[in-house]
Each structure stands twice: as structure tokens, then as C-alpha cells.
Amino acid sequence: MKLKLSLRFKLSVAFVMVALFIFLVIYLLANVVLEKQFKNYTINKIEKTITDIVSHIADQYKESESIWNHQYIENTGINALSEGLIIRVVDKDNDVIWDARIHNNGMCMSMIQNMSENMQAHNPNFKGGYQERTYPIVSQGKTKGQIFVGYYGPYFYSDLDIKYLATLNNLLLWAALISLLACLAFGTYMARRLTSPMAHVVKTAREIAKGHYNDRIDEKSNTKEIIALTDSVNSLAMTLGKQEVLRKRQTADVAHELRTPLASLQGYVEAFIDGIWEPDQKRLKGFYEELQRLSKLVGELERLSIYEGDNLALEIEQFDITSLIKGVAANFAVQFKNRNISFNLKGEKPVIKADKDKISQVFINLLSNSMKYTPDGGAIEINIKGVNDAVKIDLHDTGTGIPSEDLPYIFERFYRADKSRNRATGGAGIGLTIVKSIVEAHKGTITVESELNKGCTFAVTIPKS
Ligand code: ADP
């Protein structure tokens, strides 16, 4: 099984890894570059000190009197000792004028020993040892003596230098430790800020999954992704809530649709059994009408299940949509005339590729609704125009209109704006659901706008092919 790690843990580890990496880079750079710079600086310093000392001592020979300034040479030699240099000055006959080892051999030995230990401690691979350089003292073109400068070479670090380098390393280590701790703290803090809203989202999503559709995430965050996540979970809950309300309402509506004809049939049968009514032709006709209503409902449900199925088979052919709608409207001509409803069809004559029968069904349903909800003397108008690769058909009527609170639902199964479900004025609430299914199967859209008591406009858009 793959190891599951929390985001908090992963983020903290990532921060620490980044800190470690940065520290390592800085440490390496500091050690390589700084060490090299410091080494060069030390070598230059030693060179300069030697040059200064040599030139000072060389100046101490007085040519006119052929004598040496012994006191000055001794002072310079003692000073040089404190700089880690062992000086020996001899005259042209190799007679010693001043010698640091004669002055204090113990100090010279311990100094070289100390330097060797310092350098080995600093770098165990350091290869060094005692070295001596010779400088002639020349006056008026003649050699008057020699200066021997002994030191631990090729270069050496004094106690102060070693202390300085150790302090620098310590500082780096402390900086690393502090940045590691800061990264760990910051990583944990960031991870908590990210994960706590997520935990909230997960908790609420679980509640929603249990059916608590009214639960919402009220987490305030300034992270774009978290806001998007909470918004989508909240809107999912809202949609599920709406669907749940609709589902319950649909069940009640179906029950209502079935109950009315069934109750009426039951009444008939009971009256026949009790001998209250004779099963004469008139009553059997009423009985038959109720049966017809029931089978019409079942038929509509069957049709709906076909249209709402994922694989609604479309028989595509090319036809002129205006002629098709004209043909559909012709079937309503008598009703238009009897009810004094003016009908007007205008627009272009676009040719489309679609399922002719199903598109007819769309306009049969829409026109019969308009007929149902438009009072006598009203008007129905259809406008057809080509828009880019699609054709847009607006159907406007001057009927009762649809209350705004019902508008979002009228394409839902069994939904009727008329809550009393008056059987004289409406069907089962399936007509528009079928319309929408057909339009969407053609990759088209349908929208509705309405003002109560003024009428409605249905806008159908169907791609031309
Ligand atoms: P029904 O069989 O009840 O007509 P529909 O699905 O065709 O079912 O329509 C759903 C509801 O939308 C209707 O009950 C009605 O309230 C409303 N409706 C549809 N078309 C119109 C219209 N042209 N004018 C007013 N209301 C309409």
C-alpha cells in the first residue's frame, strides 16, 4: 500500500529541505571562496611584513661609519617574532648581529610548534613546515650582510586568524540552525493555514454526502484555490439541495397525476359494484376517458425516458426550418381562428441538418403551450434568423406568463407553474422537459424570458449542422 502522508507533513519537510539545500550551498561557497580569499590575504600579509622588516633592517647599516644600529635591529626582530617571523641578521663575515633564536630559542620553537598545530587542526591535509628565506643587505653595490627570515610556510594562520575563521563557521552554523527552525515553524504555519480550510471542506463535504444539503463552508481564506474549492463545494451543496427539493416535488406531482384518474376510476367501479350506477354507455365512456388519461401519462413518461436517455437516436436530414414550423402551425390554424389569436411567422429561411420529426415535436409542444396559456384575442409570433452557424427561433406569446420564481424550474420533469395542477389548463408538466431534451440532443440551447400577465418568449438555438 502506498504511504499516505499529510499535506502538513509534506509541506514542512519541503520547507526544511529547501532550507538545508540553501544552507549547504552557502556553507560550501563560504568555505571554498572565503577560505581561498583568506589564504591569499594571509600570504600577502606575510609577504608585506617580510618586505617591510627586511627593508627596515637593511637601512640600519651606516655606510659612513661602517656600523650597525643594533638596538633598532633588535627591536625590529622582537616585533617580527610577535608577527610569527624568526629573524637572524649577519654581517658580511657571517658574524651574527642579531638572532631571534639566541634572543629566545624557546619562544621560537613553541611558536613554530603552535603554528603547526593550528594549521593541522584547521586543515588536517595541510602540508607545511619551517621555511627560511635569505635577503642580502647591499650598500653602494656591495653586500654588507644577510637577513634570514624563518617562518611556518607556505603560509600560517595566527591564533587570531584561527579564532576569526572559527567564529565565521560558528556564525554560519547558527544561521543554518535558526533558518532551519524558522523554516520548520513557517512551513508548519503555512501548512496549517492551507490544511485547516481543507479539513473544513472535507468535513462539510462528508456532511453533504450524508444528505445535509443545507450545510455550507463559511471558511474565510485569501488563497485563490481554497476560495474556488469552497465555492464549488458550496454550489454543489446548493445544486444537490435544489435537486432534492425538485425530486421530492416530482414524486408528489407524479402521485397527484396518478391519484386523480385512479380515484375517479375507483369511484366508477365502486358505484357499479354497489349497483348505484348501471354500466351504461355514457358512464363507461367517462370510465374510458380516465383510462385514456392514465395511458397518455404513461405514454408521455415512456417518451420522456427515450428523449432523456443518453443515446437519443437522431435521424438527421436537411430541411428548411421555416417551412417545418409553418407546417406545425398549420395544424393550429383552426384554433387560432376560433379563438381569435393572431399568428405571425417572419424571418429568414435557413436550411438546417437535424432530426425533422423531433424538431417538429419541439414546436408542437411550444405552440400548444402558447395556445393553452394565451387568452382569446391574444397574439403569437415566431421570429426566425440565422446567427453564425446556428439558427435562432424566438417564439413570443401574449399569454399569462410565468412567475419569476418558477422560471428556473419549468424545464424540469412534472414541473408546473400552476401548483393546483388544474387538469383543464395543463398537462403533466413533461412537454418542456421533452423540448429541452430534443434541443440539447442537437447541441442547441433553449431559454425563456417572461413577465407575468404579459406573456413569454422562448428562444431556441439549434446549430445548422
Ligand atoms: P404542461 O404539460 O403543464 O404544459 P410543460 O412542461 O409544457 O407542461 O410546461 C411546464 C409549465 O410551464 C406549465 O405548467 C406552465 O406553468 C408553464 N408554461 C409553459 N409554457 C408556457 C407559456 N407559453 N405561457 C405560460 N406558462 C407556460
Side-chain angles (χ1 to χ4, degrees):
M1 206 178 76
K2 228 176 152 194
L3 186 64
K4 285 179 190 156
L5 297 171
S6 71
L7 185 61
R8 190 179 292 189
F9 177 79
K10 283 186 175 176
L11 265 176
S12 308
V13 170
F15 268 93
V16 170
M17 296 298 262
V18 170
L20 266 178
F21 176 74
I22 292 174
F23 164 71
L24 225 86
V25 171
I26 292 178
Y27 191 78
L28 281 179
L29 279 179
N31 264 292
V32 173
V33 179
L34 268 183
E35 178 81 36
K36 204 171 157 212
Q37 292 285 336
F38 197 70
K39 182 182 135 186
N40 289 341
Y41 160 77
T42 311
I43 290 173
N44 286 339
K45 195 177 80 178
I46 295 170
E47 289 298 329
K48 187 167 182 306
T49 315
I50 292 175
T51 319
D52 284 355
I53 286 170
V54 167
S55 86
H56 279 142
I57 292 176
D59 284 349
Q60 302 317 309
Y61 178 70
K62 281 192 185 138
E63 183 67 49
S64 52
E65 300 158 41
S66 293
I67 55 162
W68 298 86
N69 184 347
H70 284 266
Q71 189 56 49
Y72 192 89
I73 293 174
E74 179 172 354
N75 287 346
T76 311
I78 293 170
N79 274 343
L81 259 181
S82 67
E83 303 273 354
L85 303 173
I86 298 167
I87 304 291
R88 183 158 57 95
V89 185
V90 296
D91 65 12
K92 60 178 185 307
D93 302 322
N94 261 344
D95 288 334
V96 173
I97 293 166
W98 193 81
D99 187 344
R101 285 184 195 273
I102 295 173
H103 174 74
N104 192 343
N105 189 39
M107 189 181 165
C108 292
M109 298 294 281
S110 76
M111 190 180 77
I112 296 294
Q113 177 68 25
N114 184 31
M115 279 170 182
S116 162
E117 280 166 11
N118 270 358
M119 293 312 280
Q120 289 305 315
H122 179 69
N123 178 7
N125 296 323
F126 187 78
K127 285 190 180 52
Y130 183 74
Q131 295 183 0
E132 204 171 65
R133 288 199 215 163
T134 312
Y135 298 90
I137 303 171
V138 180
S139 175
Q140 293 183 343
K142 284 186 185 149
T143 304
K144 299 294 174 194
Q146 278 180 307
I147 304 169
F148 299 92
V149 183
Y151 62 100
Y152 188 85
Y155 63 95
F156 60 86
Y157 289 156
S158 67
D159 287 350
L160 270 176
D161 294 339
I162 294 284
K163 210 168 160 196
Y164 171 74
L165 286 174
T167 313
L168 209 68
N169 267 335
N170 271 344
L171 269 179
L172 278 174
L173 282 173
W174 274 106
L177 199 75
I178 292 170
S179 52
L180 268 185
L181 287 177
C183 278
L184 200 67
F186 190 65
T188 314
Y189 167 74
M190 281 301 286
R192 185 169 305 153
R193 280 199 62 173
L194 276 178
T195 52
S196 83
M198 276 188 193
H200 204 151
V201 172
V202 170
K203 192 168 159 253
T204 315
R206 283 198 182 123
E207 288 304 309
I208 293 166
K210 281 184 204 156
H212 301 150
Y213 303 129
N214 288 331
D215 281 17
R216 293 285 182 276
I217 305 162
D218 50 9
E219 188 75 35
K220 299 272 171 289
S221 171
N222 55 5
T223 310
K224 257 162 91 181
E225 286 78 4
I226 300 275
I227 296 171
L229 182 68
T230 50
D231 283 356
S232 48
V233 171
N234 281 344
S235 80
L236 177 73
M238 201 171 82
T239 312
L240 285 173
K242 268 190 196 163
Q243 289 297 325
E244 174 72 359
V245 171
L246 268 176
R247 196 177 58 80
K248 283 184 182 152
R249 199 180 141 161
Q250 279 169 7
T251 315
D253 289 346
V254 176
H256 183 96
E257 289 298 323
L258 291 171
R259 194 189 313 115
T260 321
L262 278 176
S264 156
L265 283 172
Q266 198 179 350
Y268 274 109
V269 175
E270 276 170 7
F272 292 151
I273 292 171
D274 295 344
I276 299 169
W277 279 351
E278 283 295 310
D280 56 23
Q281 202 183 12
K282 190 176 142 234
R283 284 180 181 130
L284 280 174
K285 204 170 158 238
F287 190 95
Y288 179 68
E289 275 168 8
E290 290 301 340
L291 275 178
Q292 264 186 324
R293 199 162 286 162
L294 265 180
S295 68
K296 188 176 161 230
L297 179 66
V298 173
E300 278 186 341
L301 282 172
E302 266 173 357
R303 215 150 26 108
L304 181 65
S305 76
I306 294 169
Y307 287 142
E308 282 198 322
D310 285 340
N311 300 316
L312 174 61
L314 298 177
E315 282 170 32
I316 304 294
E317 59 187 296
Q318 192 162 319
F319 59 92
D320 159 16
I321 182 109
T322 309
S323 307
L324 177 113
I325 297 175
K326 254 186 198 156
V328 171
N331 295 325
F332 293 89
V334 179
Q335 290 184 57
F336 289 147
K337 196 162 171 255
N338 289 347
R339 295 184 46 208
N340 196 22
I341 290 176
S342 77
F343 177 74
N344 195 359
L345 191 154
K346 56 185 181 183
E348 302 152 18
K349 286 189 143 220
V351 170
I352 66 166
K353 276 185 181 167
D355 186 320
K356 206 171 169 182
D357 286 347
K358 297 202 172 73
I359 297 291
S360 286
Q361 187 68 55
V362 166
F363 292 98
I364 291 171
N365 290 10
L366 289 177
L367 268 174
S368 64
N369 274 351
S370 289
M371 288 294 296
K372 257 190 275 178
Y373 300 105
T374 303
D376 294 358
I380 299 175
E381 190 179 298
I382 296 183
N383 230 313
I384 303 169
K385 59 178 173 206
V387 186
N388 298 328
D389 294 337
V391 47
K392 185 166 179 267
I393 304 120
D394 288 334
L395 187 154
H396 175 73
D397 66 43
T398 56
T400 55
I402 303 166
S404 56
E405 68 268 20
D406 291 314
L407 274 178
Y409 305 108
I410 58 158
F411 295 104
E412 299 291 339
R413 268 168 271 147
F414 305 110
Y415 198 95
R416 283 186 57 182
D418 164 23
K419 308 282 181 300
S420 69
R421 305 189 77 81
N422 185 342
R423 298 172 84 201
T425 52
I430 287 174
L432 285 181
T433 316
I434 290 176
V435 165
K436 192 167 186 233
S437 298
I438 296 174
V439 171
E440 285 181 352
H442 284 85
K443 306 265 178 281
T445 55
I446 178 161
T447 54
V448 60
E449 281 174 17
S450 178
E451 207 176 322
L452 203 59
N453 300 325
K454 292 240 169 94
C456 14
T457 305
F458 284 87
V460 179
T461 308
I462 305 168
K464 282 184 182 161
S465 56

